[in-house]
Amino acid sequence: MTSEDSGSATGVSSTERRQRPTIGPQVGQDTRTVQRLRLGVGIIGILLPVALPLGNWIFVQLGHRTEILPASMSGAYYTSTRNIFVGSLCALGVFLIGYRYNRRDDFWSTLAGVFAIGVALFPTAPRGATEFQSTIGALHLIFAGVLLSALAMFCLWSFRDPAISAKRTVNRSYLITGVLILLFLALSVVAGVTRWGEDWTITPLYICESLSVWAFGAAWIGAAVEIGALQRTRTVLPRRASSAQPAAG
């Protein structure tokens, strides 16, 4: 039997199989693991912008001398919440590198994970930086830009599925969050280069970075909820089908 005959027997031609979008896990990672990794990435994105100043405030109440609100999120490296900042980025990197939904997502998640760890290990340049510190700081900015851009690709490309009309609203939400990540990333670059509002209590740079991180955090939590709902639907439908079958005899 030829491949075309086999396709006819199942009601799906080989051409249709080639054109059908790749949906669902393709490399052996179960749905629950995918959901938990997505949730972990999202929680880090939502909590980190708040945890850094809140942690510094708590340290100040305990008698530490530290800056509560640095000029940027990366500036937390030089405050009492350095371990929170570095640890969160390393955890983010591990979650992303371990993420295996399909081959396309594997590439983007591995890229983002490696650069997340790079952001943690190559700190931003401090005030009065030496030439070496400035070089490390430049690498930090590059790594951060690649990280956020890769995370935006999940919203613009991976989480969206335009072929499913029922997902129109969800697709639009992912598209908006992806655009917001890139928009606030671009505004962060502008604020950092122009040093706009660097004497403010909360700098525009910190605000733009936080909004970009919140956008990817919300998208990944939404994707975790979505795949969980899909899994529950796939579990319930077979049970209903089996209960509807007449009893033998």
Side-chain angles (χ1 to χ4, degrees):
M1 179 181 290
T2 65
S3 59
E4 292 293 337
D5 294 334
S6 176
S8 299
T10 59
V12 181
S13 69
S14 59
T15 302
E16 288 175 330
R17 286 198 302 271
R18 287 193 297 268
Q19 293 176 346
R20 180 177 295 172
T22 301
I23 301 173
Q26 301 295 315
V27 287
Q29 194 168 66
D30 65 277
T31 303
R32 181 170 295 181
T33 300
V34 172
Q35 182 185 23
R36 288 176 176 176
L37 288 172
R38 287 181 177 181
L39 189 61
V41 171
I43 289 174
I44 291 174
I46 293 296
L47 293 182
L48 188 58
V50 177
L52 296 176
L54 178 60
N56 284 328
W57 180 83
I58 292 174
F59 275 112
V60 169
Q61 305 312 306
L62 295 175
H64 289 240
R65 297 184 60 183
T66 189
E67 188 176 11
I68 295 178
L69 267 170
S72 67
M73 289 180 62
S74 298
Y77 184 88
Y78 300 102
T79 68
S80 295
T81 53
R82 172 190 295 185
N83 291 341
I84 296 176
F85 178 73
V86 173
S88 296
L89 284 169
C90 288
L92 180 65
V94 170
F95 288 159
L96 288 167
I97 292 172
Y99 183 80
R100 294 287 185 275
Y101 188 62
N102 57 38
R103 289 187 179 89
R104 180 187 62 192
D105 286 9
D106 185 19
F107 169 78
W108 289 114
S109 63
T110 302
L111 179 71
V114 169
F115 279 89
I117 295 174
V119 172
L121 300 183
F122 291 78
T124 188
R127 297 186 182 94
T130 64
E131 184 177 352
F132 176 76
Q133 289 174 322
S134 297
T135 301
I136 297 298
L139 291 175
H140 173 88
L141 296 177
I142 294 172
F143 293 163
V146 174
L147 168 61
L148 289 173
S149 299
L151 291 171
M153 290 305 300
F154 279 93
C155 304
L156 298 174
W157 193 9
S158 296
F159 294 156
R160 295 173 64 236
D161 191 355
I164 302 179
S165 58
K167 282 189 58 175
R168 188 172 302 167
T169 301
V170 176
N171 287 333
R172 189 179 296 116
S173 299
Y174 286 136
L175 177 62
I176 291 172
T177 53
V179 171
L180 288 176
I181 293 171
L182 296 177
L183 173 62
F184 290 123
L185 173 60
L187 291 175
S188 298
V189 174
V190 173
V193 171
T194 62
R195 302 197 175 194
W196 173 47
E198 64 178 4
D199 56 341
W200 296 6
T201 302
I202 304 179
T203 66
L205 175 57
Y206 196 99
I207 294 173
C208 290
E209 287 179 335
S210 299
L211 291 173
S212 183
V213 172
W214 275 332
F216 89 68
W220 279 75
I221 289 178
V225 172
E226 183 184 11
I227 198 171
L230 179 62
Q231 178 65 16
R232 287 192 296 273
T233 301
R234 289 174 175 174
T235 303
V236 170
L237 287 178
R239 289 178 180 174
R240 290 180 176 175
S242 61
S243 63
Q245 293 177 357

